[in-house]
Amino acid sequence: MAAMYSKPEFAARSPADVAEVIAAAPFATLVTHGPEGLVATHLVMLFEPDRGPNGTLVSHLALDNPHAALIAEGRETLAIFTGPHGYISSSWYPALPVRDSAPTWNYAAIHCRGRPVPLDERQTARHLAHLVARMEDGRPDRWRMGELGPGGLERRLPRILGFDLPVERLDAKFKMGQDERLPDTRGAIAALEKTDPPLAAMMTRHNVDRDDG
């Protein structure tokens, strides 16, 4: 699989940038090439950045899903995460003397590729407990795994394939207006602060070191 196209100015500022995107939007598109071509599944994936050189993703899918057989074989797999993104209108740019920059789309995207490693039932149960704890954290009257009742989890585990995806290669792209004129980027940030604060905040962080020179 080829690397994601990017520019040097779109690189992550730190590993924390990558972890932040995945933590905020853990619903990924998982793509594997099988004998009949590409197979894609949409999964929630937890990122453990301290496991391995580039971190490790952990997830699960139904054994009835044909994708599960490819995961079990350890075929090369790509997980795609998307962070804040949105249309950037040239109407937000100041006239210098005209607004001659084209509209664009700003976005954050993370590509993680590697070869999945299946988990046994005990490891899968631990992953599911971590996943539920993460998703239920902070909710009033949060749901707990024990509410499945006696044997509730055990009945489900044989129909699930849990897996690790050690990240062998990680490509991160933060296209946040770094290659646009600074007044234009500032104009877009000002407009987005009213309509899309997460994208505005990310654009601000990735342009903080720029000056008017």
Side-chain angles (χ1 to χ4, degrees), residues 89-160:
S89 171
S90 298
S91 69
W92 300 333
Y93 299 162
L96 297 171
V98 295
R99 299 176 298 187
D100 59 353
S101 293
T104 189
W105 198 280
N106 283 356
Y107 61 91
I110 311 296
H111 288 193
C112 301
R113 69 190 66 203
R115 295 186 178 274
V117 179
L119 304 178
D120 60 29
E121 287 194 358
R122 178 183 59 82
Q123 293 168 322
T124 299
R126 185 167 62 243
H127 155 63
L128 294 173
H130 289 167
L131 178 61
V132 168
R134 159 73 192 284
M135 296 301 160
E136 292 287 331
D137 185 43
R139 293 179 179 273
D141 193 26
R142 59 180 292 180
W143 185 84
R144 301 179 186 276
M145 290 287 286
E147 295 183 63
L148 289 175
L153 177 60
E154 290 74 14
R155 290 196 305 273
R156 291 167 171 81
L157 283 172
R159 302 195 296 272
I160 296 171

Side-chain angles (χ1 to χ4, degrees), residues 12-98:
R13 295 168 60 86
S14 72
D17 284 343
V18 172
E20 178 186 2
V21 168
I22 297 176
F27 193 59
T29 300
L30 196 74
V31 183
T32 305
H33 194 280
E36 299 181 5
L38 294 174
V39 179
T41 300
H42 306 280
L43 298 173
V44 176
M45 307 192 79
L46 296 183
F47 185 48
E48 299 181 4
D50 298 326
R51 289 181 57 200
N54 298 306
T56 297
L57 295 165
V58 190
S59 190
H60 67 283
L61 73 170
L63 275 173
D64 286 343
N65 185 338
H67 204 158
L70 304 179
I71 297 298
E73 292 174 8
R75 290 178 177 262
E76 185 179 14
T77 294
L78 171 67
I80 302 171
F81 298 87
T82 304
H85 63 93
Y87 176 68
I88 306 300
S89 171
S90 298
S91 69
W92 300 333
Y93 299 162
L96 297 171
V98 295

Side-chain angles (χ1 to χ4, degrees), residues 156-193:
R156 291 167 171 81
L157 283 172
R159 302 195 296 272
I160 296 171
L161 175 66
F163 64 95
D164 282 346
L165 183 65
V167 181
E168 297 173 6
R169 176 170 181 162
L170 191 153
D171 296 316
K173 182 174 182 178
F174 292 81
K175 182 183 178 295
M176 293 290 152
Q178 303 96 314
D179 59 340
E180 303 290 347
R181 293 180 303 214
L182 187 53
D184 291 348
T185 298
R186 286 174 173 165
I189 290 171
L192 289 166
E193 284 174 343

